[in-house]
Amino acid sequence: MRGFTPLRISLAVATAAAVMGTGVAFAGGSPDAARPADTGRAATPAATDVSGATEPVDGFIVGYKSQATEAKSNEAAVKDARAKAGKAGEPVSFERRLGTGAALVELPEADEVQDAQKVAAAFLADPDVAYVVPDRRVYATAVDPAEYKAQWDLYETTAGMNVPSAWKQATGKGVTVAVIDTGITKHSELSSKVLPGYDFISHTWTANDGGGRDSDPSDPGDWLKAGECGKDKNGVPVPARATDSGWHGTHVAGTVAAAANGSGTVGVAHEANILPVRVLGRCGGTTSDIIDAITWASGGTVTDVPANKNPAAVINMSLGGKFTCDQAYNAALKGARDRGTTVVVSAGNDNTDAAAFSPAGCANVITVAASDREGNRAAYSNYGKVVDVTAPGGENNVRDADGIWSTLNTGTTTPDKEKYASYQGTSMAAPHIAGLAALLKQKDSSLTPAQIEQTIKENTRALPGTCSGGCGAGLSDADKTLTAVTGG
């Protein structure tokens, strides 16, 4: 894999110094564009925004119109890539077909933004091309864990989600939740619930496990040396200092479905199953890999990847980046929702309008902002009209005890022993809602993604603290939400 200075997307874990640039958000909305909750969402994304890129682009996701031969034939797509290379005067190669049907093309020598712009222009000039968007690189960030052995986020009357009362109605039993993240490590709270997942990271160096895509979604660690991921647009090394492995996917999975076996934590849907889907490794991952992961996790077909025998009823994605929703993401998210999968995403950690983040500004997902222990919008949390609901995300920078307690690993580089730790971020808020969606799906399996979203939003309570900018329908209340559902 050649060197790069990539466009970045980060996991939605808040950091003290925002080491990896932007925060997160895969955000959501209803399929009905007329609904008030969708105000401001990019249901029909604009064309590619390559002209605004400030860093090199390694490849493009090209969506051909349905009548085009290239939309169905890889051989035709290969020939078309060669033709576009001739027009642009830059090397271009067809890499593979994504699960949405789009083509991934690589630019092995596009070291300048202008080089990528030439290629994009060549594709966009073709009447058979519907869209061209960058294959963006995704980055992970993490906070230093601070141990805390009480889950205020589940039961405290001030800002907890009133989850224990909801367990009288459902525990998530039989429901599959996909965690699209860094993979997963062995943990006694999770081992009994993990289904066969998949590692979608296609770059060997990024995967850090000796290979590319495979059926092992284990998290081998994502530790980094200072500057190992290149430099940002201001020339600052990324990361600015060496970072330990974060085990982000393991922490998120615990919030969704930790087994409550008596030794540590309990997940919101503690009898649900976890489908680990790995998309982020060293220096993150790519949007093309995430798109395939969304497709596969929701039961769609991805070329050269075995069929998913356990399609997820719910997907959690605690990740995202600062770019507007594009057609490539939109196609994958709509496809998942059309297959009956509820997609829950984090709003991001930049204390700004989530509409500027993707897929926070997209339709077809539920976007979650984070609250602190007092019920205020967390200081780091993104906000705005695209936010659907708020859930506990914690604030470790106030007190260690005010973070979200969940499963983790002691390894600073490679996996070691299991442990528990407290993190903060909209990454921590989103899995609370993913767990709640699983509870709803158990109580009434006929609920559609739109009905699940609507039920969650209609049964919130007002934040006991303050929220400037917009926190969606309010603070989620699990018991109230479950009680509103009479089916099952």
Side-chain angles (χ1 to χ4, degrees):
M1 177 179 171
R2 68 182 184 87
F4 54 83
T5 306
L7 297 170
R8 284 182 296 284
I9 306 167
S10 64
L11 292 174
V13 185
T15 65
V19 175
M20 295 297 181
T22 63
V24 191
F26 280 173
S30 163
D32 181 357
R35 290 180 58 190
D38 283 340
T39 302
R41 293 190 185 279
T44 306
T48 184
D49 188 26
V50 183
S51 60
T54 58
E55 300 170 354
V57 177
D58 287 334
F60 285 112
I61 299 168
V62 179
Y64 290 96
K65 295 178 181 178
S66 58
Q67 72 273 16
T69 305
E70 293 86 351
K72 305 176 183 64
S73 167
N74 286 352
E75 182 179 356
V78 169
K79 291 181 179 178
D80 190 50
R82 291 172 182 166
K84 299 302 188 290
K87 291 182 178 180
E90 297 288 340
V92 183
S93 62
F94 171 79
E95 178 66 16
R96 66 173 185 273
R97 185 80 56 178
L98 302 188
T100 56
L104 175 63
V105 298
E106 291 202 341
L107 286 62
E109 297 179 14
D111 294 323
E112 300 293 337
V113 173
Q114 294 85 342
D115 298 338
Q117 184 63 47
K118 294 176 185 177
V119 176
F123 277 104
L124 289 170
D126 188 338
D128 285 336
V129 171
Y131 63 84
V132 182
V133 298
D135 183 17
R136 297 173 171 92
R137 182 153 281 271
V138 178
Y139 273 75
T141 61
V143 294
D144 295 330
E147 295 200 6
Y148 174 57
K149 298 182 179 180
Q151 292 178 272
W152 62 267
D153 48 307
L154 301 185
Y155 64 82
E156 281 192 352
T157 56
T158 301
M161 250 181 63
N162 200 12
V163 175
S165 296
W167 289 332
K168 298 174 184 178
Q169 304 180 64
T171 56
K173 188 173 184 178
V175 180
T176 297
V177 180
V179 176
I180 297 180
D181 214 293
T182 64
I184 199 165
T185 58
K186 292 181 179 180
H187 201 291
S188 58
E189 298 277 13
L190 301 173
S191 58
S192 65
K193 22 236 9 258
V194 176
L195 297 171
Y198 205 81
D199 180 356
F200 275 92
I201 300 177
S202 52
H203 293 280
T204 302
W205 187 87
T206 300
N208 199 31
D209 59 3
R213 291 186 171 186
D214 55 48
S215 59
D216 182 5
S218 299
D219 185 349
D222 55 4
W223 75 97
L224 294 166
K225 299 176 183 178
E228 201 163 13
C229 298
K231 297 180 180 179
D232 65 16
K233 62 182 180 181
N234 298 315
V236 177
V238 179
R241 59 181 182 275
T243 61
D244 293 339
S245 295
W247 317 118
H248 187 271
T250 299
H251 197 280
V252 169
T255 299
V256 174
N261 62 16
S263 61
T265 60
V266 54
V268 174
H270 57 87
E271 289 193 318
N273 297 315
I274 291 293
L275 181 71
V277 185
R278 186 169 182 247
V279 296
L280 304 175
R282 298 178 71 196
C283 293
T286 62
T287 52
S288 57
D289 286 343
I290 294 171
I291 286 167
D292 277 352
I294 294 168
T295 303
W296 183 85
S298 59
T301 300
V302 177
T303 303
D304 296 327
V305 177
N308 177 11
K309 297 180 179 180
N310 301 286
V314 182
I315 288 175
N316 185 89
M317 295 198 299
S318 292
L319 46 79
K322 193 172 184 180
F323 54 92
T324 56
C325 183
D326 59 40
Q327 295 96 322
Y329 259 130
N330 190 63
L333 293 168
K334 184 179 184 301
R337 190 147 171 146
D338 288 348
R339 285 186 282 272
T341 301
T342 299
V343 183
V344 180
V345 305
S346 47
N349 301 328
D350 290 81
N351 186 28
T352 191
D353 193 336
F357 292 74
S358 182
C362 297
N364 301 308
V365 296
I366 302 174
T367 306
V368 187
S371 65
D372 63 18
R373 196 171 181 177
E374 287 71 47
N376 307 294
R377 176 175 65 83
Y380 54 79
S381 179
N382 285 353
Y383 50 80
K385 292 182 180 180
V386 299
V387 171
D388 292 301
V389 70
T390 299
E395 274 199 21
N396 279 352
N397 59 346
V398 177
R399 290 191 308 162
D400 287 345
D402 293 352
I404 304 301
W405 179 252
S406 188
T407 47
L408 213 71
N409 194 278
T410 62
T412 56
T413 54
T414 56
D416 198 351
K417 300 175 182 178
E418 67 176 53
K419 72 170 186 177
Y420 304 89
S422 178
Y423 273 7
Q424 67 173 14
T426 53
S427 272
M428 285 60 256
H432 283 82
I433 301 302
L436 178 54
L439 299 182
L440 285 168
K441 196 67 175 177
Q442 182 199 348
K443 188 169 183 182
D444 185 352
S445 60
S446 69
L447 290 175
T448 66
Q451 291 171 329
I452 288 174
E453 178 183 348
Q454 181 178 0
T455 304
I456 290 173
K457 292 193 290 189
E458 288 181 347
N459 292 282
T460 59
R461 65 183 193 273
L463 270 72
T466 61
C467 173
S468 59
C471 286
L475 185 64
S476 182
D477 186 307
D479 185 53
K480 185 179 178 182
T481 302
L482 267 289
T483 301
V485 176
T486 56

